[in-house]
Amino acid sequence: MTSPDISIPSLMLCFFLLVIPLAISYRIKLHISWTTIDAVARMTVQLVLVGVFLTYVFDLNNGALNMAWVLGMVIIASYSTIRNIELKMEKLLLPVILSFIAANLSVLMYFNKFVLDLGNLLEARYLIPIGGMILGNSLKGNIVGMGVFYEDIRRNENRYIYNLSLGASMYEALMPYIRKCLRSALRPTLANIATTGIVFLPGMMTGQILEGASPMLAIKYQISIMIAIYVSTTMSTVFSILSTIHTTFDEYGLVKKEIYREKGKKKENKKRI
Amino acid sequence: MQDEIIRYENVGVSFGSKKVLSNFSLNIPKGKKILMKGKSGVGKSTLFKTLLGFEKISEGSLYYRGKLLNPQLSWQVRKEVAYVSQNTDLGEGPVKALLEEVHAYRPNRKKMDPEKLHMFMGELELEEDILEKNFENLSGGEKQRIGILIALLLGRDVFLLDEATSSLDSGLKKKVADNFLKHGDWTLVIISHDREWEREEVEIIEIGKTDPIEE
Ligand SMILES: Nc1ncnc2c1ncn2[C@@H]1O[C@H](COP(=O)(O)OP(=O)(O)OP(=O)(O)O)[C@@H](O)[C@H]1O
Ligand SMILES: [Mg+2]
């Protein structure tokens, strides 16, 4: 434990740095002062709560509780994926949650078992932070991928319908959209992998080095975690698309208009009687 | 009863509170050539889309080969009927890739015959180099001809042509019409305002003599 403690007054000094972006925002009328304050306030409250909870969770280190924590994160991740792509919750939440569970938990368990070789796979110190990193990143991939997929299908509906009219099955007609969605979902992760170490030192590595781990150990963790993230992002995006298709397309192979939350876009589905 | 392909029986379609078709009846036996005309917006394209399962009818019944249309049957229709859509936004990327994709669909496998391709391209006055061009950069008339080309390549014998020749010059219009009409056994349902389709063997049908009713 070599990192120096950050006292409350020192933390205040860190908050003081925010004066700079706030001043800029005020001076050139960016209108993001409130958003900034709101975001920082939210982060602080959330992290304080998480800090308190995690202290207990780590002390108890109960397998079931740790798992419940991870599942809670999965539900929040699924929820925010759907929210961010402006689709309706009801029918999509369950398939997305199941996709996240299937993709992330299997990668996480594999990681803990074969990469870290843990005796207790549900050990809080590993399960929670590594689960969080894998989930957080596959969440980003899913938001991009699912968003691209459902937006594209809506925008290019004519092409899609034309392909159906030529005798394509739903999967054949959807394949170009699935390809594009996966490419968009994975591109940021790939770019991240390729620039790791040159452009940025990832958070986990920084943390470990601050904690006094050897840089060599830190990079081995980093390499493994990046690969785990890439795999889980791929799996969860594929699972999410494939599992939601069943509820979002009708028996004619057409996307159900009612899954889209209208945000002042087209006025296609007005009030239904 | 002759070999009946398509039959509309008192069909009506509504979009929300807007009624676009009502009480439309038509029987299309095998080998028949029908030219549909009517004001813009009366629902001509919608008639095709209902058969393909892209729009739902709200009244009446629609039969394909004597069977009441249902979701499974509309998948069958899509495998057996060649449709040229009025909208020419058919895809993107090289034309060649587009053709290959179409022929990769299960019902169309093994139908890509280079000899036929060149024959149809000749009939449609399409140059060889168009295969390398990106579809989205083609002219309106070129896009239409690619749509017709694909329909012909599928080797089907029921055609739904929705304004398939509207952007072509009159010489080409005539040539395309000739090429379709020379096949006695082909069933053709044509939506067009082009005179070139008006022949002896073609029955002309006016759609929606009365204006669409708004509620
Ligand atoms: N999905 C839809 N939602 C709402 N209205 C629609 C939809 N599809 C078609 N319509 C309306 O139905 C009417 C008939 O459309 P359709 O495309 O069948 O006309 P059309 O007879 O083919 O016209 P044109 O000669 O201009 O091609 C139009 O007023 C159109 O706006
Ligand atoms: Mg039309």
Side-chain angles (χ1 to χ4, degrees):
Chain A
M1 302 288 152
T2 53
S3 340
D5 189 23
I6 299 184
S7 64
I8 297 295
S10 341
L11 203 55
M12 288 301 151
L13 284 178
C14 185
F15 277 118
F16 181 69
L17 279 177
L18 286 172
V19 166
I20 299 169
L22 287 179
I24 293 175
S25 169
Y26 175 77
R27 188 78 184 78
I28 62 171
K29 299 193 173 61
L30 269 184
H31 300 302
I32 55 164
S33 311
W34 272 115
T35 326
T36 307
I37 293 171
D38 181 63
V40 172
R42 271 168 194 273
M43 170 185 76
T44 311
V45 173
Q46 286 161 8
L47 284 181
V48 167
L49 288 179
V50 167
V52 172
F53 272 117
L54 280 184
T55 309
Y56 279 111
V57 171
F58 278 49
D59 280 349
L60 288 173
N61 197 16
N62 172 304
L65 183 63
N66 300 344
M67 202 58 177
W69 181 277
V70 172
L71 288 180
M73 292 197 292
V74 165
I75 291 171
I76 294 172
S78 314
Y79 183 83
S80 44
T81 301
I82 302 173
R83 241 179 77 93
N84 272 286
I85 51 184
E86 292 177 6
L87 294 178
K88 289 238 178 84
M89 253 342 131
E90 308 96 55
K91 287 181 178 163
L92 295 180
L93 192 56
L94 191 62
V96 174
I97 288 178
L98 293 178
S99 306
F100 269 95
I101 290 180
N104 290 297
L105 281 194
S106 53
V107 172
L108 186 57
M109 288 301 129
Y110 182 98
F111 194 86
N112 283 359
K113 172 82 191 149
F114 298 109
V115 182
L116 298 187
D117 197 11
L118 294 183
N120 172 13
L121 293 186
L122 303 180
E123 175 81 38
R125 275 181 58 205
Y126 299 96
L127 188 77
I128 292 173
I130 293 174
M133 269 188 288
I134 293 180
L135 257 170
N137 283 281
S138 64
L139 166 69
K140 281 187 229 157
N142 262 267
I143 290 177
V144 174
M146 299 251 295
V148 164
F149 182 79
Y150 283 102
E151 197 44 48
D152 236 30
I153 277 288
R154 168 146 85 167
R155 189 155 6 107
N156 295 321
E157 198 181 15
N158 188 68
R159 290 180 193 175
Y160 172 67
I161 279 180
Y162 177 65
N163 290 335
L164 289 183
S165 83
L166 297 170
S169 70
M170 209 169 88
Y171 288 103
E172 287 172 328
L174 284 177
M175 204 37 85
Y177 300 89
I178 295 178
R179 270 186 218 120
K180 186 168 168 201
C181 129
L182 270 179
R183 261 188 240 118
S184 327
L186 295 178
R187 205 175 294 126
T189 309
L190 281 175
N192 247 351
I193 292 178
T195 52
T196 304
I198 304 176
V199 182
F200 72 108
L201 279 191
M204 185 184 67
M205 235 175 108
T206 314
Q208 284 182 311
I209 292 173
L210 284 176
E211 277 305 304
S214 81
M216 278 332 255
L217 179 63
I219 65 143
K220 281 188 280 183
Y221 265 86
Q222 194 56 42
I223 291 172
S224 337
I225 201 84
M226 290 302 248
I227 290 171
I229 285 171
Y230 184 58
V231 175
S232 71
T233 305
T234 314
M235 283 170 63
S236 62
T237 311
V238 172
F239 291 170
S240 292
I241 293 292
L242 293 184
S243 64
T244 53
I245 281 175
H246 295 283
T247 46
T248 52
F249 286 76
D250 63 16
E251 68 263 60
Y252 291 94
L254 305 178
V255 65
K256 295 179 188 160
K257 295 278 188 301
E258 63 265 23
I259 62 153
Y260 293 100
R261 267 192 295 141
E262 287 313 314
K263 250 210 161 174
K265 289 206 169 166
K266 283 181 223 160
K267 42 168 183 167
E268 43 200 0
N269 51 336
K270 289 181 252 171
K271 302 138 233 158
R272 287 264 161 84
I273 315 126
Chain B
M1 196 171 64
Q2 296 161 273
D3 254 1
E4 166 194 302
I5 307 287
I6 301 161
R7 180 154 51 96
Y8 294 91
E9 226 177 64
N10 304 319
V11 166
V13 178
S14 313
F15 295 108
S17 61
K18 192 184 175 196
K19 229 173 170 179
V20 291
L21 287 163
S22 67
N23 251 316
F24 177 80
S25 297
L26 178 67
N27 188 349
I28 306 169
K30 186 164 171 47
K32 182 99 182 169
K33 277 83 180 153
I34 285 181
L35 176 59
M36 294 196 194
K37 302 186 118 181
K39 278 196 194 152
S40 174
V42 293
K44 300 182 297 298
S45 302
T46 305
L47 278 175
F48 284 0
K49 288 182 187 163
T50 56
L51 180 65
L52 293 160
F54 300 146
E55 298 291 356
K56 278 137 211 140
I57 61 177
S58 44
E59 312 159 4
S61 348
L62 174 46
Y63 298 88
Y64 176 71
R65 295 191 196 271
K67 279 182 266 170
L68 191 66
L69 196 75
N70 60 23
Q72 285 81 347
L73 191 58
S74 67
W75 288 100
Q76 190 67 24
V77 173
R78 296 169 190 173
K79 289 177 192 157
E80 297 179 1
V81 166
Y83 167 59
V84 177
S85 87
Q86 180 173 19
N87 187 324
T88 52
D89 176 29
L90 308 181
E92 60 190 348
V95 172
K96 200 174 183 180
L98 215 62
L99 295 182
E100 275 160 9
E101 169 116 11
V102 172
H103 286 88
Y105 301 151
R106 188 172 289 269
N108 310 335
R109 301 229 174 111
K110 286 188 235 128
K111 281 190 189 143
M112 182 71 144
D113 176 354
E115 229 166 86
K116 260 192 173 170
L117 174 67
H118 291 118
M119 184 186 78
F120 290 137
M121 284 180 65
E123 287 174 0
L124 293 166
E125 297 181 12
L126 289 167
E127 304 289 336
E128 199 64 27
D129 63 351
I130 202 162
L131 296 176
E132 315 298 331
K133 290 188 189 161
N134 281 335
F135 183 81
E136 61 272 28
N137 299 333
L138 301 184
S139 74
E142 285 171 333
K143 285 182 183 170
Q144 269 192 338
R145 281 181 279 163
I146 297 296
I148 299 172
L149 177 69
I150 291 174
L152 289 168
L153 283 171
L154 295 177
R156 303 176 183 180
D157 61 1
V158 180
F159 289 83
L160 306 177
L161 308 178
D162 193 350
E163 297 287 8
T165 49
S166 62
S167 306
L168 306 183
D169 60 79
S170 61
L172 256 173
K173 283 182 207 235
K174 185 172 177 310
K175 208 163 163 186
V176 171
D178 284 343
N179 266 314
F180 274 97
L181 293 170
K182 75 181 176 201
H183 298 271
D185 57 331
W186 281 5
T187 310
L188 302 179
V189 191
I190 304 143
I191 295 172
S192 177
H193 294 99
D194 295 332
R195 280 290 162 79
E196 287 74 3
W197 290 100
E198 295 177 17
R199 306 278 182 83
E200 220 175 311
E201 65 270 41
V202 180
E203 182 181 338
I204 301 180
I205 288 188
E206 275 291 330
I207 310 276
K209 289 248 175 59
T210 51
D211 287 331
I213 315 136
E214 295 233 22
E215 272 167 38

